[in-house]
Each structure stands twice: as C-alpha cells, then as structure tokens.
Amino acid sequence: MESFAPVTAAGIGRPVRVLLADDQHLVRTGFRVILEVEDDIEVVGEAADGERAVAMARAIRPDVVLMDVQMPVLDGLAATSMITAAGGPDGPAVLVLTTFDRDDYLFAALSAGASGFLLKNGTPEDLVEAVRVVARGDGLIAPALTRRVIAAFARPGGPVTGLARRPTAAQPAALTQREYEVLELLARGASNAEIAAALHVGEATVKTHVSRVLAKLDLRDRVQAVIFAYEHGIVQPGG
C-alpha cells in the first residue's frame, strides 16, 4: 500500500522544527510551552546568545529560528545575517521577535534576511501562526508594521535591504509576463486568493507562479519579493 507523509498546518509534511534564541530563560520556556502544544511544531533546541544560535542552526538545521534582537556575545540581527547567509534559500527561516517597536530594528532584520518580524506583545496564536507561515516559505510582518515597511522601502533613498541588486524593472530576471503580473500583485499586498481572482486562475496555479518568481529572482519569500518590486520600480507608491 502506498503511504503518504502527513500534511501539517505548515504544509511541509512533518512537524516544523524550531530553534529558540533568547537570552531570557523564562521567555524561552514560555515560547516552548506555547509551541509544543501544537501537533505540527517541535522545539528542537534553545540558545541564550546569538553566537550559540548560529552554531546550533548550523548543527541541527531547524526549519525556523525564533530570534531575539538584543542578546549577549552576538546580537540577534548579526546572528540572523550569518544564519541566512550560510543556509541559502534552503536554510532555516528566521522569525525575529522583539519587545521594541523600532523601525531601525525592523529594517535591519529584513536586511539581514529575516523572513518575519513580530512584536512580543502579540498573542500565543500570533506566534504559532507566524511559525507556520515562515516555515512554508511565506514572509510575515506584524500587520501594524506592514504599511511602515512598504512606505519606507518605496520612497527614494529608503533603507538598504541587503538584497543583491537585480536586473532592471523592464526585464526582472527573465520572468514571464504572467510571473511579472503575479509579482506586481504580490507587491501590492494581494493574497493568493486575490491574485487568483485578478488573473482568473486557480490558487494552485498562483502558488506555482509565486514559487517560480522567488526561484528566478533568488528570493527567500514574499517579503523579499515585495522589497524587490519596490526597489526596481515594478510598483510605485500609491500606484
């Protein structure tokens, strides 16, 4: 009889393996308690500083690293940059969590390659869903921060993202016309369902197009795709 891997909430066919990186033991314990009650999430390690987080990420290859910003030895932003650089597109996704609602932390986290940014004043449900979202390859930013990110990256002279410069907006890495349209809609904040409705195709087709766009542009997730589109003039503020 043919067997199939179980389908989890994250859509990766097995529990999401999470590494916790925070210098406060009670915070790590709280995160562990919240996450481990979920059948589709498994906490596989803890690190109390950024240097240890980098070493553990390389050793145990988690799917997601929950990363605090302010930590001893090596801060979370530097650790994020090292983890994403070493892991490449198939490496761990980093979800940055902080108590500080500061634009410079947010932009630095995205520049370092983080797939998500979440404030610690969110709910347990927010944390669980964020882990699932970044594990399946989608980027996530707390809704209250999204408009600030797009506005900042869209304006001339906005924050440097750390992404390698790509081809011009006229021919972005040999995308097909349909893939270009998908990227434009992504950058305007459209969901897969909204893209499907706009282009009169199925959601499964949209997911395929999104995957191809990310692969052709060598981008990790939708957050980086949005940044790319604004940096290269594919979409304009207010357009």
Side-chain angles (χ1 to χ4, degrees), residues 12-235:
I12 62 176
R14 56 170 174 73
V16 178
R17 303 174 70 251
V18 178
L19 170 64
L20 306 177
D22 196 294
D23 62 333
Q24 298 184 48
H25 180 74
L26 286 178
V27 171
R28 297 198 309 273
T29 299
F31 287 162
R32 180 181 284 273
V33 169
I34 291 169
L35 296 175
E36 287 200 327
V37 299
E38 305 296 327
D39 292 338
D40 62 326
I41 299 176
E42 175 187 7
V43 176
V44 295
E46 298 184 20
D49 62 70
E51 187 175 86
R52 179 64 175 159
V54 172
M56 292 187 69
R58 290 172 176 168
I60 64 180
R61 302 289 292 178
D63 299 304
V64 177
V65 180
L66 289 189
M67 183 73 73
D68 188 26
V69 172
Q70 294 190 339
M71 290 191 294
V73 186
L74 185 70
D75 68 71
L77 299 176
T80 295
S81 182
M82 294 175 68
I83 289 171
T84 57
D90 297 324
V94 179
L95 175 60
V96 172
L97 292 98
T98 180
T99 56
F100 303 100
D101 185 1
R102 289 174 42 175
D103 284 354
D104 56 340
Y105 282 176
L106 172 58
F107 301 143
L110 295 177
S111 297
S115 293
F117 188 96
L118 203 63
L119 298 177
K120 289 183 179 177
N121 62 4
T123 67
E125 292 77 15
D126 291 337
L127 177 62
V128 170
E129 180 60 19
V131 168
R132 290 170 176 160
V133 167
V134 299
R136 64 176 177 249
D138 293 333
L140 177 140
I141 306 174
L145 305 176
T146 303
R147 289 188 180 274
R148 282 156 49 187
V149 172
I150 291 179
F153 281 108
R155 67 173 181 260
V160 177
T161 66
L163 295 176
R165 288 292 169 179
R166 311 294 183 185
T168 63
Q171 294 183 349
L175 297 183
T176 66
Q177 180 60 34
R178 181 45 56 92
E179 290 164 353
Y180 190 98
E181 293 168 352
V182 168
L183 176 59
E184 183 177 7
L185 290 167
L186 269 180
R188 299 188 187 284
S191 66
N192 284 352
E194 291 168 337
I195 295 173
L199 300 180
H200 306 291
V201 297
E203 285 192 54
T205 300
V206 171
K207 291 179 180 178
T208 298
H209 285 314
V210 171
S211 296
R212 288 175 178 168
V213 167
L214 297 181
K216 287 185 177 182
L217 300 180
D218 192 25
L219 302 174
R220 176 183 291 274
D221 52 47
R222 297 165 78 106
V223 170
Q224 290 192 344
V226 171
I227 294 168
F228 176 95
Y230 274 100
E231 282 192 327
H232 293 80
I234 295 171
V235 289

